[in-house]
Amino acid sequence: MSRIAWAAVAAVLLASPALAVPLPSEPLIGRASVIDGDTLEIAGKRVRLHGVDTPESAQTCLNADGAAWRCGQRAALALSDRLGQRTVTCRPRDVDRYGRIVAACSVGGRDVGRWLVSQGWAVAYRQYSKDYVSAEDAARVARRGIWAGTFTPPDEWRRERRARGAAKRLGAR
């Protein structure tokens, strides 16, 4: 790609509304709607859970017998069940490239991210945090959630899906 093309891409990214989202200085507190296994909405604001990565909604995993199951959907349902109608407190840490507030969230004083990872519904998102590595190790050893069988790590699954989409678009030309 030429330098001019890269400059144009950079200009578009810098002008992106996602980058303009300010980081709230106060916690977000309220009832949360679950968007997917690691994303909530509180009072109209999207919140990405800090330090965790769950399988995507359309992602499947294999159980111990090799049968496919909708692990991404199950992770979201587990999170929804955990939160119920209780009040969630999210302490902002960052804003991601999609304009979501990245936050450490808790319900009843318990860390939601740690719970997701310890139950095997998420992996520690080591690229951004090492906070939940020990919880992931414990879930893996106990074979809880996605660790009961086999799965593609969510970040790898997204990369593969993007690559297939790009290859399909190139092949259509």
Side-chain angles (χ1 to χ4, degrees):
M1 187 179 275
S2 74
R3 286 184 187 191
I4 293 171
W6 278 113
V9 169
V12 168
L13 289 175
L14 289 173
S16 168
L19 296 176
V21 174
L23 181 64
S25 58
E26 297 295 320
L28 296 168
I29 301 171
R31 288 188 178 159
S33 299
V34 173
I35 304 303
D36 63 25
D38 50 32
T39 307
L40 307 174
E41 186 169 290
I42 300 174
K45 292 183 172 48
R46 290 278 167 115
V47 178
R48 173 69 162 80
L49 295 173
H50 162 76
V52 303
D53 198 14
T54 61
E56 295 297 317
S57 296
Q59 188 172 347
T60 58
C61 298
L62 299 177
N63 67 18
D65 296 327
W69 61 287
R70 296 190 62 191
C71 54
Q73 180 184 46
R74 184 64 185 98
L77 290 171
L79 177 58
S80 184
D81 288 347
R82 176 72 175 173
L83 301 180
Q85 296 299 310
R86 299 188 300 170
T87 299
V88 178
T89 301
C90 295
R91 302 199 182 281
R93 292 181 162 216
D94 201 356
V95 175
D96 72 9
R97 64 183 175 167
Y98 303 109
R100 298 176 297 187
I101 297 163
V102 178
C105 299
S106 62
V107 66
R110 301 220 28 207
D111 185 319
V112 173
R114 182 169 304 285
W115 180 83
L116 274 168
V117 175
S118 70
Q119 297 303 303
W121 299 121
V123 296
Y125 209 170
R126 289 171 170 83
Q127 179 180 347
Y128 298 102
S129 171
K130 304 280 192 267
D131 291 353
Y132 304 121
V133 172
S134 62
E136 179 185 297
D137 292 342
R140 183 185 313 108
V141 168
R143 304 197 53 80
R144 287 191 288 264
I146 57 179
W147 299 105
T150 59
F151 66 97
T152 302
D155 60 337
E156 187 178 316
W157 188 87
R158 288 188 298 271
R159 248 190 327 275
E160 289 172 0
R161 192 161 173 152
R162 280 191 300 269
R164 281 194 308 269
K168 197 180 279 187
R169 284 189 301 277
L170 287 174
R173 289 183 181 177

